[in-house]
Amino acid sequence: MDIGFIGLGVMGRPMAANLIAAGHRLTVYRDSAAAREALGDRARFAGSVAEAVRDSDAVVLMLPDTPDVEAVMRGEDGVLAALRPGTLVIDMSSISPSAERALAAEVAEAGGDHLDAPVSGGEVGARDGTLSIMVGGDRAAVERAAPLFEVLGGRVSHIGAAGAGQVAKVANQIVVGVTIEAVAEALRLAEAAGVDPGAVRDALLGGFASSRVLEVHGARMIEGEYEPGFRIALHRKDLGLAVEASARLDVPLPASGLVHQLMNAAVATGLGDHDHSALALLLNGRTG
């Protein structure tokens, strides 16, 4: 399949590399030293978004935030300006569900098909092709995207109509964020009580408190290794979407609001580019 791939950051680069390795032909945007190192001459580098889109059967977006996606989609030289009828647009970014629904309608008006397909699994999942993909959109479009999702993900869930994938991703980020804070507090309590936090983590992994967050991020906290698989600044953005939804839908989300405030504090103290497990550093009074 001819694919236009837009967004070659920490997640996008390994995802693009996996699609190329599976035999797909990629035109990518944008050029950078890191992208060249990851993809070499296996992809064609476009000089604009429109150039990446123009001759593609499918367009994949993997961008940081809602304004980035809106700019790439609606720009003078953007996706909608260059979209051919029948092209499949797959937004794998994590953005506002309401903004995604509006973009889906604009893609449909331009004659294309649209899916929102945000992911969970971090850089490791992107590299290993084991991402959890949460999809919103029409079933027929999901079936068209299946060959790409099979390369990128270990679990693909069709949640519902346009925007439903983004709602699922916000829910995912609530669970992950609140659990990170719970693990950080549990290990900090053990340390303050003079008990080996590593031994406590090992014990908890054998019981009902076991989770992927305790396994992976608990180890990061104990070892003090916070190279980003997923940055605090990006998780803060996702929890901001939860807080916005809480107000708009009049649904109380007190734990989400608290963790969002803690992530605001982490960013303010210089921890924004650390892995989200570095939220634990706030409990020790440490900053970036």
Side-chain angles (χ1 to χ4, degrees):
M1 189 181 295
D2 289 307
I3 301 169
F5 197 103
I6 301 165
L8 298 172
V10 170
M11 297 286 288
R13 290 193 298 271
M15 292 168 68
N18 285 341
L19 289 170
I20 293 169
H24 298 286
R25 298 170 297 277
L26 265 65
T27 301
V28 301
Y29 182 83
R30 93 181 30 190
D31 201 344
S32 69
R36 291 277 179 176
E37 182 179 356
L39 305 179
D41 59 1
R42 298 179 296 154
R44 185 168 75 88
F45 284 81
S48 68
V49 171
E51 184 183 343
V53 170
R54 197 168 289 122
D55 297 319
S56 297
D57 304 309
V59 178
V60 177
L61 280 66
M62 191 60 183
L63 297 164
D65 203 349
T66 304
D68 303 298
V69 173
E70 291 177 329
V72 161
M73 290 291 294
R74 295 176 175 143
E76 183 178 348
D77 210 19
V79 173
L80 289 167
L83 195 69
R84 297 183 304 171
T87 302
L88 175 61
V89 178
I90 309 171
D91 183 14
M92 305 191 79
S93 320
S94 296
I95 70 168
S96 160
S98 59
E100 193 76 82
R101 293 187 189 102
L103 291 169
E106 292 173 44
V107 170
E109 186 177 349
D113 293 317
H114 177 279
L115 295 173
D116 52 291
V119 303
S120 178
E123 183 183 5
V124 173
R127 186 179 64 242
D128 295 345
T130 58
L131 293 166
S132 175
I133 305 175
M134 295 155 270
V135 189
D138 292 337
R139 172 65 65 183
V142 177
E143 292 173 356
R144 285 185 62 194
L148 309 186
F149 291 156
E150 288 170 3
V151 173
L152 299 173
R155 181 185 181 95
V156 180
S157 302
H158 184 201
I159 308 299
Q166 296 295 352
V167 172
K169 178 58 187 289
V170 173
N172 179 87
Q173 296 302 78
I174 290 172
V175 173
V176 173
V178 172
T179 306
I180 285 175
E181 177 61 19
V183 169
E185 291 182 13
L187 297 181
R188 181 68 184 94
L189 176 65
E191 182 181 38
V195 176
D196 179 6
V200 170
R201 170 182 167 274
D202 290 344
L204 297 182
L205 284 172
F208 202 56
S210 181
S211 71
R212 184 67 170 156
V213 171
L214 178 62
E215 178 187 355
V216 175
H217 292 317
R220 284 176 176 267
M221 294 170 191
I222 290 165
E223 296 163 5
E225 296 290 340
Y226 297 115
E227 283 297 314
F230 188 70
R231 293 186 290 121
I232 286 178
L234 289 177
H235 202 150
R236 176 184 70 157
K237 176 263 298 182
D238 292 342
L239 284 184
L241 296 175
V243 171
E244 290 171 12
S246 173
R248 186 177 69 255
L249 300 173
D250 196 23
V251 175
L253 301 176
S256 302
L258 172 60
V259 177
H260 184 242
Q261 291 177 28
L262 292 170
M263 289 186 174
N264 282 337
V267 171
T269 56
L271 295 171
D273 288 331
H274 289 59
D275 186 79
H276 50 175
S277 57
L279 197 61
L281 294 178
L282 291 181
L283 299 175
N284 297 311
R286 293 178 56 190
T287 68

